[in-house]
Amino acid sequence: MSDRLKSLARAGVSIWLDDLSRERLETGNLADLVKDSSVVGVTTNPSIFAAALSDGERYDEEVRRLAADGADAEAAVLALTAADVRSACDVLRPVWEATDGVDGRVSLEVSPTLAFDTDATVASAKELWASVDRENLLIKIPATTEGAAAITAVLAEGISVNVTLIFGPDRYREVMEAYVSGLERARERGHDLSRIHSVASFFVSRVDTEIDRRLEEAGAHPVLLGRAGVANARLAYRAFEEFFSGERWESLAADGARPQRPLWASTGVKNPAYRDTMYVTDLVVPGTVNTMPEKTLEAFADHGEVQGDQVTPHYAEAEATMAALAEAGVDYDDVIAALEREGVEKFVASWQELLKTVEGQLAQAGPR
């Protein structure tokens, strides 16, 4: 087992893999990562499944069965992805049991085409939860305004949630409010709050990509490049600390509620000029999750560094960075709005690609 990954885990960071495929499951690769690389969770999204289903033949037999049963593309996608996530949940169940449900989690996303439809998102979340039928599942719901209402409604049903596509602290506060409101409603309905879990996926590298582009177009000083993503995430963690305190939260905690952990997402470094582990090393703080593509996981195992808490001592520095970006002409609110819009659009495009791939496979498997 990598000593560097073990050190990261000892620092209070839960290491999740941002990838899943039938190949990983059937070859034992996922089980090996759990055993040897401190991996204690898995996240998925439409892009990940689109890549998995378009590569290799491991889904062919199930696709043929689905075609014979007359399944359309959407029904087939649900069956195929739910099967993979169910199997991953089973691989991670010992972790889930050992951590009292905190880790050992696998995420499955509602269709991103529903991102602006509260009722349809709630219905889809319930369907996915029932289809996978594993308590260590997390249903991923995007952090749109409509998504926030869905998050509250889904949590009120006792369903655990991974809130995705969070880019700014203001939206993050809305997500935390949705979480706490959901727990309050769940308590009213008699649910055991200790069994309801949630993470809030705060995206990091995409913030740098967008702000760096704007800085370069404006001819700003290069010293500001590559600093926004980490600063933004650090300020999000400060918002987390502030929110999960006080009488309202303490009342829920007394009834067994768990804080909604911050999850650092989009932690693969896009710019080759930057350190390939920067979104891991620079965001180490206890009680968080870092979900990594395998390339980032391997990079950290090879040369990543754990230097203690890299978040809470740096709030003033983060504020100064964001102020400097504003002085350089970066319209932060516009950046966040653009990232939220593009985030949904990218996942919708991946979803359509996934449907198209499966539709082609069903057609090839024979007439329905």
Side-chain angles (χ1 to χ4, degrees):
M1 182 179 288
S2 165
D3 289 339
R4 296 177 187 275
L5 292 172
K6 284 194 290 186
S7 295
L8 183 62
R10 284 196 297 266
V13 178
S14 292
I15 302 167
W16 291 9
L17 177 70
D18 192 28
D19 193 43
L20 184 64
S21 67
R22 185 87 33 111
E23 181 178 3
R24 284 193 188 278
L25 292 161
E26 292 184 349
T27 63
N29 171 264
L30 178 58
D32 289 342
L33 290 172
V34 172
K35 177 184 176 184
D36 300 329
S37 299
S38 301
V39 169
V40 293
V42 169
T43 50
T44 69
N45 59 48
S47 301
I48 285 170
F49 281 123
L53 269 75
S54 64
D55 184 23
E57 302 175 350
R58 294 180 183 274
Y59 296 92
D60 288 358
E61 182 177 346
E62 191 170 358
V63 168
R64 284 193 291 270
R65 179 181 61 76
L66 289 164
D69 290 344
D72 62 15
E74 288 205 9
V77 166
L78 172 61
L80 294 168
T81 57
D84 280 2
V85 168
R86 188 181 305 114
S87 295
C89 283
D90 291 343
V91 170
L92 285 154
R93 185 176 179 86
V95 176
W96 177 75
E97 292 173 344
T99 61
D100 193 26
V102 173
D103 284 312
R105 296 277 170 175
V106 184
S107 297
L108 178 60
E109 188 162 350
V110 299
S111 166
T113 61
L114 308 177
F116 304 105
D117 186 331
T118 299
D119 292 342
T121 295
V122 173
S124 177
K126 291 180 180 179
E127 182 182 17
L128 293 177
W129 184 259
S131 181
V132 174
D133 192 26
R134 295 293 186 273
E135 196 173 354
N136 53 331
L137 174 68
L138 291 173
I139 300 297
K140 286 182 81 172
I141 299 175
T144 58
T145 298
E146 296 83 0
I151 291 158
T152 296
V154 170
L155 289 162
E157 298 287 338
I159 296 172
S160 296
V161 173
N162 175 346
V163 184
T164 189
L165 291 177
I166 308 170
F167 294 96
D170 287 344
R171 179 69 79 186
Y172 182 30
R173 291 184 185 91
E174 295 175 6
V175 166
M176 290 186 284
E177 172 64 35
Y179 174 63
V180 169
S181 296
L183 290 181
E184 289 169 341
R185 287 172 55 180
R187 179 169 60 183
E188 291 171 0
R189 297 180 181 187
H191 289 289
D192 180 353
L193 299 189
S194 70
R195 304 191 77 82
I196 304 173
H197 288 250
S198 183
V199 294
S201 295
F202 199 91
F203 281 53
V204 187
S205 69
R206 292 191 193 181
V207 174
D208 272 335
T209 299
E210 179 64 19
I211 289 183
D212 282 0
R213 181 184 65 78
R214 297 185 184 210
L215 288 170
E216 289 170 344
E217 288 178 355
H221 196 289
V223 72
L224 291 174
L225 296 175
R227 293 176 56 188
V230 167
N232 192 49
R234 286 170 172 168
L235 294 178
Y237 190 83
R238 183 174 66 178
F240 160 77
E241 286 190 307
E242 293 168 350
F243 194 93
F244 287 98
S245 61
E247 291 183 5
R248 184 185 182 194
W249 172 249
E250 288 169 3
S251 171
L252 288 165
D255 287 332
R258 319 291 185 103
Q260 181 186 53
R261 287 189 296 169
L263 179 152
W264 309 131
S266 183
T267 56
V269 175
K270 308 291 193 295
N271 189 330
Y274 300 158
R275 290 175 293 121
D276 57 0
T277 60
M278 63 183 284
Y279 299 127
V280 182
T281 296
D282 294 355
L283 291 174
V284 170
V285 62
T288 55
V289 179
N290 196 305
T291 186
M292 312 176 205
E294 190 168 21
K295 183 178 179 180
T296 303
L297 183 77
E298 292 173 345
F300 197 91
D302 180 67
H303 52 268
E305 297 180 357
V306 177
Q307 301 166 331
D309 182 351
Q310 295 298 300
V311 174
T312 63
H314 299 289
Y315 292 151
E317 177 187 339
E319 285 184 337
T321 295
M322 302 312 288
L325 290 167
E327 290 176 8
V330 173
D331 184 338
Y332 176 79
D333 290 340
D334 186 67
V335 167
I336 298 304
L339 288 171
E340 288 180 350
R341 182 175 61 254
E342 292 168 7
V344 172
E345 289 172 354
K346 287 179 179 178
F347 276 175
V348 167
S350 294
W351 179 255
Q352 299 295 351
E353 178 188 349
L354 176 57
L355 288 175
K356 185 177 180 180
T357 297
V358 172
E359 194 172 70
Q361 291 174 340
L362 289 170
Q364 189 174 8
R368 300 197 301 276

